[in-house]
Amino acid sequence: MAAGQGFKTFATGDILTAADTNGYLMSQTVMVFADAAARTTAITSPQQGMVSFLKGTNSMEYYTGSAWTPVDTGSSPLTTKGDLYGYSTTNARVAVGTNGQVLTADSTAAVGVSWATGGGMTSLATGSLSGASVSLTSISSSYNDLVLVIRNFLPATANTSLQATFNSDSGTRYATEVLTQGTVTFTGTSARISQGSSNSVAQGLLVCRVPNYTNTTTWKYINIEGYSNNNTTTTSANTTFWNSIYNQITAISSIQLFPTSGNFTSGTYTLYGVK
Amino acid sequence: MIIIEHNVETGEITERSMTTAEIKNIEELQKQAVLVETEKNTRKATLLDRLGITEEEAALLLG
């Protein structure tokens, strides 16, 4: 079987030889066969660059010099919204992950990548402050830190502050102090989140961070910063920048919020898990 | 008294009346929180009085 010869422009009067026919035409056309067996029978000595079409499988193949190989016809392995094009030893589908996951290099995965929970903050729960208490329960232990954001805390009773307990523990195990060097004593039965606030002006933004909340070897603390509405004047605000220490080593799985008097009128909370 | 329970794992939010024990507990928590803050404010006021300055003046000094 002649090897492909490339391209030739025939001039008027040229003689079409068998070598030209085989080299420029036969070896360089797309040859159609019923299947691979028929092709093997017909082409006993395939040449690199030959192209054939197999009707049985509707596949186009080219000869590499040692084997017939499917031509990449651009057909997609993707089937689902969000799928990505990957590669293992052939083109392959990387199935879409779940909401919030990020694509991660993963040598154990067939295509070398996999979807996994990424870093940053994940919103775990959001809701409104109402009633006499809001309890956030069954907090996942899958994160490094928790961040609780309180917006527009408005108590029903004037000069009321926002407090919190961990794990429904109302023992005398809490101490709240402005960030400073010093010794604290555990005289509180809850952590103080805000100063006494007005019951007429809904403003305020409090960011409460609970680092390393699942460890079982250290006491826990909640770092609070932000501001709340002033109790006596609507044109000023109370700043907040303090720690509340909880002298227990138990992992935190729930947080209870409550005003120091009466009910919540309004406000919102969002709990984030931080990787 | 109403308590809102938000199951973070399932997302389910339940609103229900507190039990008698829960009411007693939260009233005690509220009372204790106010007491702690009152004691702190009393100590602060006593110190300010000894120093002869107001809270605003103390804040100015610290700021």
Side-chain angles (χ1 to χ4, degrees):
Chain A
M1 187 68 64
Q5 297 296 306
F7 181 80
K8 177 177 179 179
T9 301
F10 290 91
T12 303
D14 279 355
I15 296 171
L16 186 61
T17 65
D20 282 349
T21 301
N22 289 331
Y24 290 108
L25 299 178
M26 298 306 294
S27 295
Q28 301 188 147
T29 57
V30 177
M31 298 166 280
V32 180
F33 300 96
D35 51 32
R39 180 180 60 198
T40 300
T41 300
I43 309 175
T44 55
S45 179
Q47 299 296 310
Q48 184 178 20
M50 281 183 167
V51 178
S52 66
F53 180 81
L54 305 180
K55 292 193 286 187
T57 53
N58 281 326
S59 60
M60 187 87 80
E61 296 183 348
Y62 67 98
Y63 196 72
T64 64
S66 59
W68 288 98
T69 302
V71 173
D72 184 358
T73 56
S75 63
S76 170
L78 311 186
T79 61
T80 308
K81 176 183 176 182
D83 281 356
L84 298 176
Y85 223 120
Y87 182 81
S88 53
T89 53
T90 59
N91 294 328
R93 170 180 178 244
V94 180
V96 64
T98 58
N99 289 346
Q101 288 187 317
V102 297
L103 198 60
T104 305
D106 181 357
S107 62
T108 66
V111 290
V113 292
S114 63
W115 292 97
T117 302
M121 296 170 66
T122 302
S123 176
L124 304 178
T126 188
S128 299
L129 297 172
S130 66
S133 176
V134 171
S135 183
L136 303 173
T137 64
S138 301
I139 297 172
S140 167
S141 61
S142 303
Y143 298 89
N144 297 325
D145 306 329
L146 294 175
V147 173
L148 177 64
V149 179
I150 306 289
R151 295 180 177 86
N152 299 327
F153 160 60
L154 185 67
T157 307
N159 198 20
T160 295
S161 64
L162 178 63
Q163 302 284 135
T165 57
F166 295 131
N167 299 340
S168 297
D169 186 347
S170 54
T172 309
R173 303 187 177 107
Y174 301 83
T176 301
E177 289 295 333
V178 174
L179 295 175
T180 183
Q181 180 178 324
T183 304
V184 296
T185 51
F186 296 90
T187 58
T189 55
S190 59
R192 186 170 168 82
I193 305 297
S194 81
Q195 296 191 55
S197 300
S198 163
N199 64 342
S200 62
V201 181
Q203 64 176 6
L205 177 62
L206 297 157
V207 179
C208 315
R209 192 170 62 90
V210 188
N212 205 198
Y213 67 104
T214 59
N215 94 76
T216 54
T217 58
T218 73
W219 292 352
K220 306 301 181 297
Y221 78 92
I222 181 167
N223 167 245
I224 304 133
E225 60 182 80
Y227 77 99
S228 54
N229 45 305
N230 187 275
N231 181 48
T232 55
T233 170
T234 59
T235 55
S236 62
N238 294 332
T239 58
T240 299
F241 195 45
W242 62 56
N243 280 338
S244 280
I245 305 172
Y246 171 56
N247 67 1
Q248 297 295 297
I249 61 171
T250 317
I252 291 170
S253 60
S254 70
I255 300 173
Q256 295 72 42
L257 300 168
F258 63 93
T260 49
S261 178
N263 290 326
F264 292 112
T265 294
S266 60
T268 64
Y269 61 87
T270 304
L271 180 67
Y272 297 92
V274 182
K275 282 288 187 182
Chain B
M1 297 177 91
I2 300 296
I3 182 171
I4 309 296
E5 292 177 320
H6 189 152
N7 185 314
V8 175
E9 188 174 13
T10 64
E12 183 181 14
I13 299 176
T14 308
E15 181 178 327
R16 64 170 175 81
S17 296
M18 287 182 171
T19 63
T20 305
E22 287 172 332
I23 291 172
K24 186 179 174 188
N25 182 56
I26 198 163
E27 285 177 345
E28 188 57 38
L29 282 170
Q30 291 174 330
K31 182 178 155 189
Q32 184 65 19
V34 170
L35 184 66
V36 167
E37 197 55 27
T38 301
E39 285 178 356
K40 194 175 288 183
N41 288 336
T42 301
R43 290 203 310 272
K44 190 190 294 181
T46 302
L47 179 60
L48 289 172
D49 190 50
R50 281 170 53 193
L51 294 170
I53 59 174
T54 66
E55 188 170 357
E56 289 71 26
E57 289 168 334
L60 276 175
L61 283 175
L62 293 171

